[in-house]
PDB file of all heavy atoms in Angstrom:
ATOM      1  N   ASP A 147      20.256 -66.862  -7.733  1.00 98.00           N
ATOM      2  CA  ASP A 147      19.984 -65.884  -6.668  1.00 98.00           C
ATOM      3  C   ASP A 147      20.843 -64.630  -6.841  1.00 98.00           C
ATOM      4  O   ASP A 147      20.364 -63.509  -6.626  1.00 98.00           O
ATOM      5  CB  ASP A 147      20.284 -66.495  -5.292  1.00 98.00           C
ATOM      6  CG  ASP A 147      19.060 -67.140  -4.639  1.00 98.00           C
ATOM      7  OD1 ASP A 147      17.953 -67.065  -5.216  1.00 98.00           O
ATOM      8  OD2 ASP A 147      19.220 -67.712  -3.540  1.00 98.00           O
ATOM      9  N   HIS A 148      22.126 -64.817  -7.203  1.00 98.00           N
ATOM     10  CA  HIS A 148      23.008 -63.654  -7.383  1.00 98.00           C
ATOM     11  C   HIS A 148      22.445 -62.690  -8.428  1.00 98.00           C
ATOM     12  O   HIS A 148      22.597 -61.472  -8.305  1.00 98.00           O
ATOM     13  CB  HIS A 148      24.407 -64.097  -7.817  1.00 98.00           C
ATOM     14  CG  HIS A 148      25.282 -64.557  -6.689  1.00 98.00           C
ATOM     15  ND1 HIS A 148      25.589 -63.760  -5.606  1.00 98.00           N
ATOM     16  CD2 HIS A 148      25.928 -65.728  -6.475  1.00 98.00           C
ATOM     17  CE1 HIS A 148      26.391 -64.426  -4.788  1.00 98.00           C
ATOM     18  NE2 HIS A 148      26.608 -65.638  -5.277  1.00 98.00           N
ATOM     19  N   LEU A 149      21.811 -63.240  -9.475  1.00 98.00           N
ATOM     20  CA  LEU A 149      21.288 -62.386 -10.549  1.00 98.00           C
ATOM     21  C   LEU A 149      20.083 -61.573 -10.065  1.00 98.00           C
ATOM     22  O   LEU A 149      19.704 -60.583 -10.680  1.00 98.00           O
ATOM     23  CB  LEU A 149      20.907 -63.230 -11.768  1.00 98.00           C
ATOM     24  CG  LEU A 149      22.022 -64.145 -12.304  1.00 98.00           C
ATOM     25  CD1 LEU A 149      21.534 -64.898 -13.542  1.00 98.00           C
ATOM     26  CD2 LEU A 149      23.284 -63.341 -12.634  1.00 98.00           C
ATOM     27  N   ASP A 150      19.491 -62.028  -8.953  1.00 98.00           N
ATOM     28  CA  ASP A 150      18.347 -61.319  -8.366  1.00 98.00           C
ATOM     29  C   ASP A 150      18.757 -60.477  -7.155  1.00 98.00           C
ATOM     30  O   ASP A 150      17.902 -60.012  -6.397  1.00 98.00           O
ATOM     31  CB  ASP A 150      17.262 -62.330  -7.953  1.00 98.00           C
ATOM     32  CG  ASP A 150      16.651 -63.005  -9.175  1.00 98.00           C
ATOM     33  OD1 ASP A 150      16.564 -62.348 -10.231  1.00 98.00           O
ATOM     34  OD2 ASP A 150      16.259 -64.187  -9.068  1.00 98.00           O
ATOM     35  N   GLY A 151      20.060 -60.320  -6.955  1.00 98.00           N
ATOM     36  CA  GLY A 151      20.531 -59.469  -5.858  1.00 98.00           C
ATOM     37  C   GLY A 151      20.504 -60.140  -4.493  1.00 98.00           C
ATOM     38  O   GLY A 151      20.513 -59.465  -3.465  1.00 98.00           O
ATOM     39  N   LYS A 152      20.471 -61.461  -4.504  1.00 98.00           N
ATOM     40  CA  LYS A 152      20.443 -62.200  -3.229  1.00 98.00           C
ATOM     41  C   LYS A 152      21.767 -62.929  -3.002  1.00 98.00           C
ATOM     42  O   LYS A 152      22.395 -63.401  -3.956  1.00 98.00           O
ATOM     43  CB  LYS A 152      19.338 -63.267  -3.265  1.00 98.00           C
ATOM     44  CG  LYS A 152      17.936 -62.750  -3.083  1.00 98.00           C
ATOM     45  CD  LYS A 152      17.024 -63.932  -2.699  1.00 98.00           C
ATOM     46  CE  LYS A 152      15.658 -63.473  -2.244  1.00 98.00           C
ATOM     47  NZ  LYS A 152      14.905 -62.806  -3.302  1.00 98.00           N
ATOM     48  N   VAL A 153      22.136 -63.064  -1.734  1.00 98.00           N
ATOM     49  CA  VAL A 153      23.254 -63.940  -1.372  1.00 98.00           C
ATOM     50  C   VAL A 153      22.730 -65.005  -0.410  1.00 98.00           C
ATOM     51  O   VAL A 153      21.655 -64.853   0.180  1.00 98.00           O
ATOM     52  CB  VAL A 153      24.432 -63.158  -0.749  1.00 98.00           C
ATOM     53  CG1 VAL A 153      25.024 -62.197  -1.763  1.00 98.00           C
ATOM     54  CG2 VAL A 153      24.006 -62.425   0.511  1.00 98.00           C
ATOM     55  N   PHE A 154      23.504 -66.089  -0.240  1.00 98.00           N
ATOM     56  CA  PHE A 154      22.978 -67.219   0.547  1.00 98.00           C
ATOM     57  C   PHE A 154      22.656 -66.828   1.981  1.00 98.00           C
ATOM     58  O   PHE A 154      21.787 -67.426   2.610  1.00 98.00           O
ATOM     59  CB  PHE A 154      23.935 -68.434   0.484  1.00 98.00           C
ATOM     60  CG  PHE A 154      25.113 -68.349   1.422  1.00 98.00           C
ATOM     61  CD1 PHE A 154      25.026 -68.877   2.707  1.00 98.00           C
ATOM     62  CD2 PHE A 154      26.296 -67.753   1.036  1.00 98.00           C
ATOM     63  CE1 PHE A 154      26.104 -68.807   3.588  1.00 98.00           C
ATOM     64  CE2 PHE A 154      27.380 -67.677   1.911  1.00 98.00           C
ATOM     65  CZ  PHE A 154      27.282 -68.194   3.179  1.00 98.00           C
ATOM     66  N   LEU A 155      23.335 -65.798   2.471  1.00 98.00           N
ATOM     67  CA  LEU A 155      23.084 -65.353   3.848  1.00 98.00           C
ATOM     68  C   LEU A 155      21.607 -64.995   4.052  1.00 98.00           C
ATOM     69  O   LEU A 155      21.053 -65.199   5.137  1.00 98.00           O
ATOM     70  CB  LEU A 155      23.938 -64.117   4.178  1.00 98.00           C
ATOM     71  CG  LEU A 155      25.447 -64.318   4.162  1.00 98.00           C
ATOM     72  CD1 LEU A 155      26.156 -62.979   4.286  1.00 98.00           C
ATOM     73  CD2 LEU A 155      25.876 -65.260   5.279  1.00 98.00           C
ATOM     74  N   ASP A 156      20.964 -64.479   2.996  1.00 98.00           N
ATOM     75  CA  ASP A 156      19.546 -64.086   3.093  1.00 98.00           C
ATOM     76  C   ASP A 156      18.660 -65.292   3.371  1.00 98.00           C
ATOM     77  O   ASP A 156      17.540 -65.136   3.850  1.00 98.00           O
ATOM     78  CB  ASP A 156      19.073 -63.446   1.775  1.00 98.00           C
ATOM     79  CG  ASP A 156      19.969 -62.301   1.344  1.00 98.00           C
ATOM     80  OD1 ASP A 156      20.653 -61.732   2.213  1.00 98.00           O
ATOM     81  OD2 ASP A 156      19.995 -61.989   0.145  1.00 98.00           O
ATOM     82  N   ARG A 157      19.114 -66.462   3.016  1.00 98.00           N
ATOM     83  CA  ARG A 157      18.300 -67.682   3.138  1.00 98.00           C
ATOM     84  C   ARG A 157      18.697 -68.543   4.333  1.00 98.00           C
ATOM     85  O   ARG A 157      18.118 -69.607   4.531  1.00 98.00           O
ATOM     86  CB  ARG A 157      18.409 -68.517   1.852  1.00 98.00           C
ATOM     87  CG  ARG A 157      17.890 -67.787   0.608  1.00 98.00           C
ATOM     88  CD  ARG A 157      17.699 -68.740  -0.537  1.00 98.00           C
ATOM     89  NE  ARG A 157      17.316 -68.089  -1.770  1.00 98.00           N
ATOM     90  CZ  ARG A 157      16.047 -67.777  -2.100  1.00 98.00           C
ATOM     91  NH1 ARG A 157      15.057 -68.049  -1.261  1.00 98.00           N
ATOM     92  NH2 ARG A 157      15.795 -67.197  -3.255  1.00 98.00           N
ATOM     93  N   VAL A 158      19.694 -68.104   5.091  1.00 98.00           N
ATOM     94  CA  VAL A 158      20.087 -68.856   6.285  1.00 98.00           C
ATOM     95  C   VAL A 158      19.031 -68.618   7.368  1.00 98.00           C
ATOM     96  O   VAL A 158      18.861 -67.502   7.844  1.00 98.00           O
ATOM     97  CB  VAL A 158      21.481 -68.414   6.783  1.00 98.00           C
ATOM     98  CG1 VAL A 158      21.817 -69.077   8.122  1.00 98.00           C
ATOM     99  CG2 VAL A 158      22.546 -68.768   5.749  1.00 98.00           C
ATOM    100  N   LYS A 159      18.295 -69.675   7.723  1.00 93.00           N
ATOM    101  CA  LYS A 159      17.210 -69.513   8.708  1.00 93.00           C
ATOM    102  C   LYS A 159      17.758 -69.526  10.127  1.00 93.00           C
ATOM    103  O   LYS A 159      17.260 -68.836  11.000  1.00 93.00           O
ATOM    104  CB  LYS A 159      16.180 -70.649   8.536  1.00 93.00           C
ATOM    105  CG  LYS A 159      15.244 -70.400   7.361  1.00 93.00           C
ATOM    106  CD  LYS A 159      14.076 -71.357   7.356  1.00 93.00           C
ATOM    107  CE  LYS A 159      14.569 -72.789   7.182  1.00 93.00           C
ATOM    108  NZ  LYS A 159      13.512 -73.721   6.762  1.00 93.00           N
ATOM    109  N   ASP A 160      18.788 -70.332  10.353  1.00 98.00           N
ATOM    110  CA  ASP A 160      19.362 -70.457  11.692  1.00 98.00           C
ATOM    111  C   ASP A 160      20.801 -69.954  11.631  1.00 98.00           C
ATOM    112  O   ASP A 160      21.702 -70.662  11.167  1.00 98.00           O
ATOM    113  CB  ASP A 160      19.310 -71.917  12.133  1.00 98.00           C
ATOM    114  CG  ASP A 160      19.894 -72.118  13.524  1.00 98.00           C
ATOM    115  OD1 ASP A 160      20.341 -71.119  14.131  1.00 98.00           O
ATOM    116  OD2 ASP A 160      19.916 -73.268  13.988  1.00 98.00           O
TER     117      ASP A 160
END
Side-chain angles (χ1 to χ4, degrees):
D147 267 357
H148 279 302
L149 306 182
D150 293 328
K152 283 198 169 64
V153 296
F154 81 91
L155 296 171
D156 307 337
R157 298 194 185 275
V158 173
K159 281 191 297 198
D160 180 0

